[in-house]
Amino acid sequence: MTDERFDPGGLGKWTEESRFEVTRERLIEYAKATNDPIPAHLAGDVANPVFAIVPVFESLMEPALEVVPVGLFGRIVHGEQEFRFHRPIRPGDKLVSRARMTGYEGLSNGTRGTIHLECRTEDGDLVNEQYVTLFVRGFDTGETRGELGPEHKFDDALRSQAPVAKVNQHVDDDQTYRYAPAAGDPMPIHLDEEVAKDSGLPGIIAHGLCTMAFTSWALLTEVAGSEVDRLKRFAVRFAKPVLPGQDLTTHIWRAGAGSYAFETTVGETVVIKDGLAEFAE
């Protein structure tokens, strides 16, 4: 066990700005790569909400370099993802993004930390904010510093109600090969069977954010009339990996005015938990 500790002095430090120009072709590619059936997404008129990860992807892990010892980077997994939408992304947008790590908490089985990202137009208008929870497996840093991301825990009392919708979806055998270039995420555990197995996985796994994109269009089509501009908050916890060829089932419960809780399973196994979507009425 390493004696290294997180560096609280790196909290709150913004990265350099990264820039991204949105094209209609890239929006269409992303919609197709996530089996998104919504016509406006497939036409590239507006982005699938989870496309918001693409412009900020280069900034995603950079803040952790200021806080997490480099020797622990191999233990990091993406634990949770939350989007706060101020407006949808559209073709022609020229976006400017930056990120900072805001806090961490040592736990008995590892350490979780929060990265906060901002995405704006060149004119400075806020497009979205994101909270990424990373988890360093098997390393307890022994303290809590700064601020963690907002809570979005599923209320188990909702299980006494019937879900308002149930959506069945299929992850294609070639899903990861289509998603990787569309998202700009070429991690080999999603593309190389041998690398995935060497990492302790049963084989190639789907990108967590691809699975999240599936749940986004499930919510949009079932409870929001496919109107992405109504979506204001979207958050999940990644519970278990999804494999190509598997079937997903997402159950959706009403959790208040414009608010829906959801979880996604493969068979009896929960793969997305603590799902929350908030829509403007």
Side-chain angles (χ1 to χ4, degrees), residues 187-206:
M187 282 188 64
I189 59 170
H190 306 300
L191 303 169
D192 188 308
E193 191 84 13
E194 186 174 338
V195 170
K197 289 182 176 178
D198 286 346
S199 300
L201 298 166
I204 286 172
I205 63 170

Side-chain angles (χ1 to χ4, degrees), residues 203-270:
I204 286 172
I205 63 170
H207 301 71
L209 286 155
C210 180
T211 305
M212 188 178 185
F214 270 65
T215 65
S216 76
W217 62 255
L219 269 292
L220 286 168
T221 55
E222 292 297 318
V223 302
S226 298
E227 297 175 10
V228 70
D229 58 320
R230 290 178 53 199
L231 183 59
K232 301 304 177 185
R233 184 183 181 192
F234 195 61
V236 302
R237 179 180 174 189
F238 301 109
K240 295 286 184 181
V242 173
L243 307 181
Q246 290 185 323
D247 294 316
L248 305 173
T249 301
T250 297
H251 289 87
I252 304 166
W253 290 264
R254 189 181 300 277
S259 180
Y260 295 86
F262 64 94
E263 65 182 18
T264 302
T265 58
V266 171
E268 298 298 316
T269 301
V270 177

Side-chain angles (χ1 to χ4, degrees), residues 18-209:
S18 62
R19 296 177 179 272
F20 186 93
E21 185 167 355
V22 182
T23 65
R24 183 177 299 274
E25 292 74 21
R26 190 70 179 270
L27 297 184
I28 293 170
E29 183 185 20
Y30 192 87
K32 290 181 177 179
T34 54
N35 297 5
D36 188 332
I38 295 175
H41 299 172
L42 287 169
D45 294 333
V46 65
N48 173 292
V50 181
F51 179 87
I53 196 67
V54 178
V56 306
F57 192 76
E58 289 185 6
S59 303
L60 191 59
M61 291 305 298
E62 189 179 340
L65 290 168
E66 297 285 348
V67 180
V68 182
V70 173
L72 297 177
F73 264 60
R75 303 188 190 186
I76 292 177
V77 295
H78 191 169
E80 300 179 37
Q81 177 75 32
E82 174 167 339
F83 297 97
R84 298 285 182 100
F85 300 105
H86 297 269
R87 73 155 175 84
I89 293 174
R90 300 185 183 277
D93 281 342
K94 295 180 180 178
L95 303 176
V96 180
S97 303
R98 62 176 185 165
R100 59 179 176 166
M101 192 163 177
T102 61
Y104 57 83
E105 176 186 27
L107 302 168
S108 60
N109 61 339
T111 298
R112 64 173 179 155
T114 297
I115 293 173
H116 172 224
L117 300 105
E118 283 186 351
C119 180
R120 297 179 180 270
T121 64
E122 287 187 323
D123 294 331
D125 295 332
L126 191 57
V127 177
N128 63 69
E129 297 174 87
Q130 302 179 36
Y131 296 91
V132 177
T133 298
L134 58 83
F135 188 74
V136 183
R137 298 169 295 176
F139 180 81
D140 178 2
T141 197
E143 62 178 359
T144 299
R145 293 289 190 102
E147 296 184 9
L148 297 173
E151 289 288 337
H152 50 91
K153 191 169 179 59
F154 187 93
D155 181 359
D156 280 323
L158 293 173
R159 298 189 193 283
S160 64
Q161 309 172 18
V164 297
K166 173 184 173 183
V167 183
N168 296 314
Q169 299 164 307
H170 180 72
V171 181
D172 297 330
D173 291 339
D174 68 344
Q175 201 85 53
T176 63
Y177 299 103
R178 289 156 44 214
Y179 185 82
D185 183 353
M187 282 188 64
I189 59 170
H190 306 300
L191 303 169
D192 188 308
E193 191 84 13
E194 186 174 338
V195 170
K197 289 182 176 178
D198 286 346
S199 300
L201 298 166
I204 286 172
I205 63 170
H207 301 71
L209 286 155

